[in-house]
């Protein structure tokens, strides 16, 4: 684990045919899958279907954040079609298959080892802010009945195994329980924001949370920055410079993030571990400091964070990847001293 801020370019989609399992790489982890704390963050690409290959992840529940291209998730409890701007969920231990619908796909995947994700506490916001239960869509039941050979890729205790099967694994015809796959359109998120002054804490943009044993700091918060209005008076509008007790791993689905004008591209990743200082780049600071404070609509943008109370440890692959930006720190060069005293 390094105290440096880190940022990666988008993961290229290889020309060679590869399915979801072939194109899955882990960029950072924390906690312990055996102790059921923390999470892993993966990136994925795929340009072919999985054919007779299926995946079962025993270590954690899966949250898919597609960035480019739509795909079909076939699960033991039915089928979901998911596109950028939506998220999808597969419970821990459920077999599934990912099939691109039209060309290559790319996205982010959070594997949560800890407490199951749920909607955050709303407090005084009341019943209709943030994400609402009614907008989460479960699939219609479906099954496949055949006896052709298949392969099950099985993630267990941090390792990936291959298991031959003599039948189609999505042959479930009866089921009972309370954990089902679902999808959710992030356009249905009812963002709350300030109408007076100061930049609010990102916790008000929490779509889902996995609580930890310490109130106020989560095992994993899934936070989004969707299209929205900024209307605060007497305030620096972008996220101010800060050090956070939570570790922030951030991705960008589309558009531009308001604190970054260059270098943070859709499909990219940034990582600022706990108390690592960060904030708007120098050019954004200058522009925001001199902007007229009138209502502004953030359009055509969708960024998100996987926030965790635990430190993220980048993988050996991530630190050796050519997508790691060696000059990320340079975006803050040019920030001037602003004190008037001698």
């Amino acid at each position: 684990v390094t105290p440096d801020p880190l940022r990666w370019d988008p993961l290229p989609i290889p020309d060679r045919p590869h399915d979801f399992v072939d194109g899955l790489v882990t960029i950072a982890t924390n906690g312990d899958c055996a102790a059921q704390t923390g999470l892993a963050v993966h990136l994925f690409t795929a340009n072919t279907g999985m054919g007779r290959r299926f995946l079962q992840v025993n270590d954690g529940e899966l949250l898919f954040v597609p960035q480019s291209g739509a795909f079909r998730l076939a699960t033991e409890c039915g089928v979901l079609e998911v596109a950028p701007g939506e998220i999808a969920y597969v419970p821990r231990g459920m077999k599934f298959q990912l099939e691109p619908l039209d060309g290559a796909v790319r996205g982010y995947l959070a594997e949560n080892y800890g407490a199951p994700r749920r909607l955050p506490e709303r407090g005084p916001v009341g019943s209709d802010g943030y994400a609402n239960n009614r907008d989460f869509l479960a699939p219609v039941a479906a099954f496949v009945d055949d006896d052709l050979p298949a392969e099950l890729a099985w993630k267990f205790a941090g390792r990936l195994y291959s298991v031959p099967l003599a039948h189609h694994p999505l042959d479930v015809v009866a089921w009972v329980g309370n954990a089902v796959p679902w999808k959710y359109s992030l356009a249905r998120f009812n963002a709350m924001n300030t109408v007076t002054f100061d930049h609010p804490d990102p916790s008000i943009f929490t779509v889902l949370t996995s609580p930890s044993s310490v109130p106020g700091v989560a095992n994993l918060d899934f936070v989004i920055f969707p299209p929205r209005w900024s209307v605060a008076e007497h305030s620096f509008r972008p996220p101010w410079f800060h050090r956070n007790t939570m570790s922030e791993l951030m991705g960008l689905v589309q558009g531009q993030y308001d604190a970054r004008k260059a270098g943070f591209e859709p499909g990219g990743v940034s990582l600022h571990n706990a108390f690592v200082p960060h904030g708007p780049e120098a050019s954004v600071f200058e522009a925001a400091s001199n902007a007229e404070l009138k209502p502004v609509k953030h359009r055509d943008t969708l960024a998100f964070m996987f926030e965790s109370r635990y430190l993220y440890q980048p993988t050996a692959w991530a630190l050796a990847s050519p997508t790691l930006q060696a000059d990320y720190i340079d975006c803050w060069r040019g920030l001037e001293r602003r004190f008037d005293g001698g």
Side-chain angles (χ1 to χ4, degrees):
V1 178
T2 171
D4 292 329
L6 300 174
R7 190 166 68 185
W8 290 264
D9 291 326
L11 187 66
I13 299 174
D15 292 332
R16 60 173 176 78
H18 67 289
D19 68 14
F20 169 73
V21 175
D22 296 328
L24 192 62
V25 294
T26 306
I27 194 164
T29 66
N30 62 33
D32 183 347
C33 63
Q36 296 190 356
T37 60
L39 68 145
V41 178
H42 313 285
L43 306 177
F44 68 86
T45 63
N47 55 21
T48 65
M50 293 174 63
R52 299 291 295 184
R53 189 189 224 181
F54 302 83
L55 178 61
Q56 175 178 327
V57 175
N58 279 33
D59 294 340
E61 57 182 13
L62 303 178
L63 183 69
F64 294 82
V65 185
Q67 185 273 314
S68 176
F71 56 83
R72 178 182 294 111
L73 281 176
T75 77
E76 292 178 276
C77 288
V79 179
L80 298 167
E81 292 189 354
V82 190
E86 299 176 318
I87 56 175
Y89 167 86
V90 174
R92 184 196 313 258
M94 182 169 286
K95 301 178 184 70
F96 71 93
Q97 188 180 59
L98 187 149
E99 304 284 330
L101 288 176
D102 185 19
V105 298
R106 180 172 60 192
Y108 308 87
L109 179 63
E111 181 185 358
N112 173 34
Y113 307 147
R117 293 178 180 90
R118 60 170 176 78
L119 296 178
E121 298 295 335
R122 303 183 191 203
V125 168
S127 62
D128 297 315
Y130 309 154
N132 290 284
N133 300 68
R134 64 177 179 265
D135 296 319
F136 289 78
L137 305 178
V140 174
F143 68 91
V144 179
D145 181 23
D146 73 42
D147 293 327
L148 300 176
E151 176 194 358
L152 178 63
W154 191 353
K155 186 174 182 293
F156 185 89
R159 294 180 179 272
L160 201 61
Y161 297 86
S162 178
V163 182
L165 300 176
H167 64 96
H168 198 290
L170 306 186
D171 55 359
V172 176
V173 295
W175 173 89
V176 65
N178 57 11
V180 297
W182 50 254
K183 78 170 190 174
Y184 172 76
S185 171
L186 296 174
R188 301 298 302 163
F189 184 79
N190 188 8
M192 305 283 104
N193 214 334
T194 181
V195 294
T196 50
F197 59 89
D198 277 358
H199 183 84
D201 188 90
S203 61
I204 64 167
F205 298 112
T206 302
V207 181
L208 296 162
T209 186
S210 164
S212 77
S213 59
V214 179
V217 285
N219 179 77
L220 168 61
D221 278 341
F222 175 61
V223 177
I224 66 169
F225 304 100
R228 64 201 184 280
W229 284 94
S230 286
V231 298
E233 298 177 315
H234 311 295
S235 298
F236 182 73
R237 293 279 182 82
W240 49 48
F241 297 95
H242 62 286
R243 292 173 293 169
N244 192 358
T245 187
M246 298 276 276
S247 297
E248 303 177 7
L249 192 147
M250 193 167 188
L252 183 63
V253 175
Q254 67 179 36
Q256 208 171 53
Y257 179 53
D258 57 332
R260 298 282 185 272
K261 298 303 181 187
F264 187 40
E265 303 296 332
V269 177
S270 69
L271 174 58
H272 305 107
N273 265 317
F275 298 110
V276 174
H278 58 286
E281 59 193 33
S283 61
V284 172
F285 175 83
E286 289 297 328
S289 298
N290 295 289
E292 179 185 356
L293 291 183
K294 61 182 180 180
V296 173
K297 180 68 177 289
H298 299 285
R299 303 178 186 275
D300 302 322
T301 181
L302 181 58
F304 70 89
M305 283 198 300
F306 295 137
E307 279 199 307
S308 177
R309 63 170 294 203
Y310 307 112
L311 292 176
Y312 283 105
Q313 180 170 335
T315 61
W317 174 90
L319 293 177
S321 172
T323 63
L324 179 63
Q325 298 178 5
D327 61 349
Y328 178 32
I329 196 75
D330 292 343
C331 75
W332 291 290
R333 296 192 187 279
L335 288 171
E336 298 178 3
R337 178 181 172 86
R338 297 288 172 169
F339 292 102
D340 294 330

